């Protein structure tokens, strides 16, 4: 087991020694390939925005207010219970909704939007249906939903887009003859609703994780534009649809029940009273949406704001977004995703490759990630833009984590070489130490020493380590000065490497004055250095040998063989 451990340590040390800083470039090249594959095939990084978006939009400081002119008439559980004695449980006779619509229209609302799918006739109350149809025909601002079914059912349908009133072919004249394919769709049963041409889909499509974040404003049916209710209502109130996306990222107004709600049963009962308790112009110039929040009617969806969000309020939010053109614009797509990801990866790679101070790299990297996240959070608070930086940040963190682990392994590679056999059957390693001692009145700052350490690391031509010893002890131990230790290790029988390392050490000594002056060390600082060679034997305790070798170098240094002013 011990031999296996020694072999593994030697292999790791040799790998890190051969690759050295080139590893950072290889790693960045590998991640570049993965980013390109992800952007074109896997889309993992692009889709990471969902969870980050949910957290940010749910915890916004600045939340847009709901439109005061949008009112939801709620068929809630209280309404179902209050009206069950006279009209039974849901669905009620259409006469109820006809009377309601007739009284609402008397207040001159801007639009009345039904979030109720009237797909079939009421065979038990045909007169009730006829009355509702007459009321619809007398209005000019009533909107009805249609339900787009799965495309898998299209071949079973006999309805084509050109059969739906008000539906037009994109970019072509309305009367142009063209072949159409059938689509599976549920239309309103009432003829007056169809003739009004105020139709729109009210389909809500959750993301893969079941969370609703977007609203599809139209369906492209082989060139035919099938609008949604929000798009149809928005166009009716004067909003141009030219700039709207097909899938709109919803700019939520808050948690459920943020909009104005009025209970259906309360409003309906007040309509029948001779003495009105509600304002006579309560719904004047309002967009009135009639729908249900009752859990028993199963129109609840999971959204970024809540696990159970009423579908009618999702519809209201989408209408609000279209009306004010303040839906969330998403800064995303392949090109920005790739560019930002690669920029973060390669900037980090260059910092590691050029041996920039690691503490500084860690600080800058951590700060940059916090800044990017903060920027994204501020954008979604103070603008209508969501900066999707989640994927690039994830790639950068992945690179930084691997690079950091390798850097630590690279630091310990020399220790492994020294601690283990460097060649089968031959024990020991040769060491060349170059202690550089600084004598000044005040201890040198960490930043100055690290800056000099970095410059020495860049200067040395042969593989070596550069460490800092701070002279900040108290008492007699304060006599020790600040010191930088440069060390090289090589096989004890490798004369060629020994010669190269000795030459590299001498060249460093010649350049030391220039390096010290460029770091801002005080002019009255005295710097001394010495070269001391020794050997380590793995049969003896390694720590004791290192201490002894270091002590010999310091004693030799006191002879003052090299001095720089």
């Amino acid at each position: 087991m011990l031999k296996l451990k020694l072999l593994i340590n030697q292999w790791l040390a040799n790998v890190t020694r051969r690759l050295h800083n080139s590893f950072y470039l290889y790693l960045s090249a590998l991640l570049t390939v993965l980013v390109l594959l992800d952007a074109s095939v896997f889309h993992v990084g692009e889709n990471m925005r969902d969870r980050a978006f949910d957290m940010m939009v749910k915890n916004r400081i600045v939340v847009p207010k709901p439109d005061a002119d949008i009112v939801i008439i709620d068929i809630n559980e209280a309404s179902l219970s209050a009206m069950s004695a006279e009209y039974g449980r849901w669905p009620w006779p259409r006469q109820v909704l006809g009377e309601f619509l007739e009284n609402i229209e008397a207040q001159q609302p801007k639009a009345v939007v039904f979030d109720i799918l009237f797909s079939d006739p009421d065979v038990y109350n045909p007169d009730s249906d006829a009355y509702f149809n007459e009321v619809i025909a007398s209005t000019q601002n009533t909107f009805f939903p249609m339900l787009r079914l799965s495309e898998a059912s299209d071949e079973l349908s006999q309805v084509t887009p050109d059969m739906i009133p008000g539906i037009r072919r994109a970019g072509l004249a309305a009367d142009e003859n063209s072949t159409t394919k059938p689509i599976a769709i549920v239309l309103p049963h009432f003829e007056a609703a169809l003739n009004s041409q105020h139709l729109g889909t009210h389909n809500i499509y959750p993301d893969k994780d079941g969370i609703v974040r977007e609203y599809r404003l139209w369906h492209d049916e082989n060139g035919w534009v099938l609008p949604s209710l929000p798009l149809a209502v928005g166009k009716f109130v004067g909003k141009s649809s030219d700039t709207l996306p097909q899938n709109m990222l919803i700019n939520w107004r808050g948690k459920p029940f943020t909009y104005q709600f009025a209970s259906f049963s309360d409003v309906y009962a007040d309509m029948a009273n001779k003495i009105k308790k509600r304002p006579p112009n309560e719904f004047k110039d309002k967009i009135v949406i009639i729908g249900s929040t009752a859990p028993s009617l199963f129109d609840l969806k999971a959204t970024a704001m809540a696990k159970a969000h009423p579908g009618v309020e999702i519809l209201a939010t989408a209408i609000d977004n279209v009306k004010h053109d303040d839906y969330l614009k998403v800064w995303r797509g392949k090109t920005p995703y790739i560019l930002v990801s690669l920029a973060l990866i390669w900037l980090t790679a260059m910092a590691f490759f050029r041996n920039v101070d690691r503490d500084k790299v860690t600080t800058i990297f951590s700060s940059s990630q916090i800044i990017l996240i903060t920027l994204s959070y501020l954008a979604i608070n103070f603008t209508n833009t969501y900066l999707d930086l989640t994927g690039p940040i994830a790639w950068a963190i992945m690179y930084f984590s691997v690079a950091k682990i390798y850097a630590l392994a690279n630091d310990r590679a020399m220790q492994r070489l020294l601690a283990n056999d460097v060649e089968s059957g031959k024990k020991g390693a040769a060491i060349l130490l170059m202690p550089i001692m600084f004598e000044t009145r005040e201890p040198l700052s960490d930043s100055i020493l690290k800056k000099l350490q970095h410059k020495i690391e860049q200067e040395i031509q042969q593989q070596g380590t550069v460490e800092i010893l701070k002279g900040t002890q108290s008492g007699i131990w304060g006599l020790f000065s600040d010191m930088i230790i440069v060390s090289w290790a090589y096989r004890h029988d490798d004369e060629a490497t020994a010669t190269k390392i000795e030459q590299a050490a001498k060249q460093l000594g010649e350049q030391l004055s220039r390096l010290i002056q460029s770091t801002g060390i005080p002019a009255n600082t005295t710097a001394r250095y010495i070269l001391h060679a020794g050997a380590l034997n793995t049969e003896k305790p390694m720590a004791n040998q290192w201490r002894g070798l270091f002590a010999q170098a310091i004693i030799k240094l006191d002879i003052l063989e090299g001095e720089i002013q």
Side-chain angles (χ1 to χ4, degrees), residues 103-241:
N103 281 276
I104 287 290
E105 284 291 341
Q107 297 189 27
Q108 299 179 339
K110 186 179 292 292
V112 178
V113 184
F114 279 94
D115 190 28
I116 303 169
L117 185 63
F118 300 102
S119 58
D120 300 298
D122 186 348
V123 296
Y124 298 106
N125 299 282
D127 293 339
S128 177
D129 274 11
Y131 169 66
F132 189 30
N133 189 71
E134 290 177 3
V135 175
I136 296 172
S138 66
T139 67
Q140 301 294 325
N141 61 348
T142 309
F143 292 79
F144 292 88
M146 48 188 177
L147 180 65
R148 179 63 166 102
L149 301 178
S150 171
E151 294 181 1
S153 303
D154 284 353
E155 60 182 15
L156 304 176
S157 176
Q158 296 180 351
V159 179
T160 56
D162 59 330
M163 297 170 59
I164 304 174
I167 305 303
R168 297 288 182 267
R169 201 163 181 51
L172 298 176
D175 59 349
E176 182 170 335
N177 294 324
S178 58
T179 58
T180 58
K181 296 181 180 180
I183 59 173
I185 191 168
V186 179
L187 299 173
H189 162 68
F190 297 101
E191 183 179 358
L194 293 171
N195 292 338
S196 70
Q197 300 187 9
H198 289 165
L199 304 176
T201 60
H202 68 160
N203 294 69
I204 295 177
Y205 298 99
D207 291 335
K208 293 180 180 180
D209 57 359
I211 306 298
V212 175
R213 299 181 180 91
E214 298 181 333
Y215 203 100
R216 186 171 298 181
L217 293 181
W218 75 80
H219 294 74
D220 186 352
E221 305 294 349
N222 300 310
W224 292 83
V225 177
L226 199 65
S228 66
L229 273 178
L231 190 64
V233 174
K235 186 176 181 180
F236 180 78
V237 299
K239 169 60 187 172
S240 174
S241 61

Side-chain angles (χ1 to χ4, degrees), residues 12-27 352-353 355 358 399-413 416 463:
L12 290 174
N14 290 335
V15 168
T16 53
R17 186 172 186 176
R18 285 197 300 270
L19 292 178
H20 196 42
N21 284 12
S22 297
F23 172 83
Y24 303 120
L25 300 182
Y26 297 147
L27 179 61
F352 277 98
F353 180 74
N355 291 322
R358 289 177 193 165
Y399 180 91
F400 180 82
S401 301
V402 176
K404 190 74 172 177
I405 292 172
Y406 174 80
L408 294 175
N410 194 40
D411 287 343
R412 294 172 183 174
R416 295 190 184 103
Q463 179 75 26

Side-chain angles (χ1 to χ4, degrees), residues 301-336:
K301 311 290 183 182
T303 69
M305 305 303 298
K307 293 181 179 179
H309 209 129
V312 65
E313 194 165 19
I314 298 174
L315 173 63
T317 307
I319 293 174
D320 198 350
N321 286 184
V322 171
K323 179 183 176 184
H324 295 281
D325 194 24
D326 65 349
Y327 61 92
L328 290 175
K329 287 79 173 176
V330 188
W331 191 75
R332 58 175 177 173
K334 289 184 180 180
T335 301

Side-chain angles (χ1 to χ4, degrees), residues 231-352:
L231 190 64
V233 174
K235 186 176 181 180
F236 180 78
V237 299
K239 169 60 187 172
S240 174
S241 61
D242 295 339
T243 60
L244 293 173
Q246 182 176 16
N247 293 305
M248 176 183 71
L249 186 60
I250 300 174
N251 191 356
W252 301 100
R253 296 336 195 197
K255 295 182 178 180
F257 301 97
T258 301
Y259 284 85
Q260 296 183 61
F261 277 80
S263 176
F264 184 95
S265 59
D266 292 344
V267 178
Y268 186 75
D270 191 72
M271 290 175 177
N273 291 334
K274 292 183 178 180
I275 301 177
K276 309 294 183 183
K277 296 181 180 180
R278 306 183 72 90
N281 60 346
E282 181 178 3
F283 304 108
K284 181 176 175 59
D285 295 327
K286 305 289 187 181
I287 297 177
V288 179
I289 305 174
I290 303 174
S292 175
T293 65
S296 61
L297 297 186
F298 307 106
D299 190 21
L300 299 175
K301 311 290 183 182
T303 69
M305 305 303 298
K307 293 181 179 179
H309 209 129
V312 65
E313 194 165 19
I314 298 174
L315 173 63
T317 307
I319 293 174
D320 198 350
N321 286 184
V322 171
K323 179 183 176 184
H324 295 281
D325 194 24
D326 65 349
Y327 61 92
L328 290 175
K329 287 79 173 176
V330 188
W331 191 75
R332 58 175 177 173
K334 289 184 180 180
T335 301
Y337 167 64
I338 292 174
L339 292 179
V340 177
S341 298
L342 296 186
L344 293 177
I345 289 172
W346 282 96
L347 286 174
T348 309
M350 287 299 101
F352 277 98

Side-chain angles (χ1 to χ4, degrees), residues 350-363:
M350 287 299 101
F352 277 98
F353 180 74
R354 295 182 177 277
N355 291 322
V356 176
D357 181 75
R358 289 177 193 165
D359 291 341
K360 185 181 295 184
V361 172
T362 301
T363 301

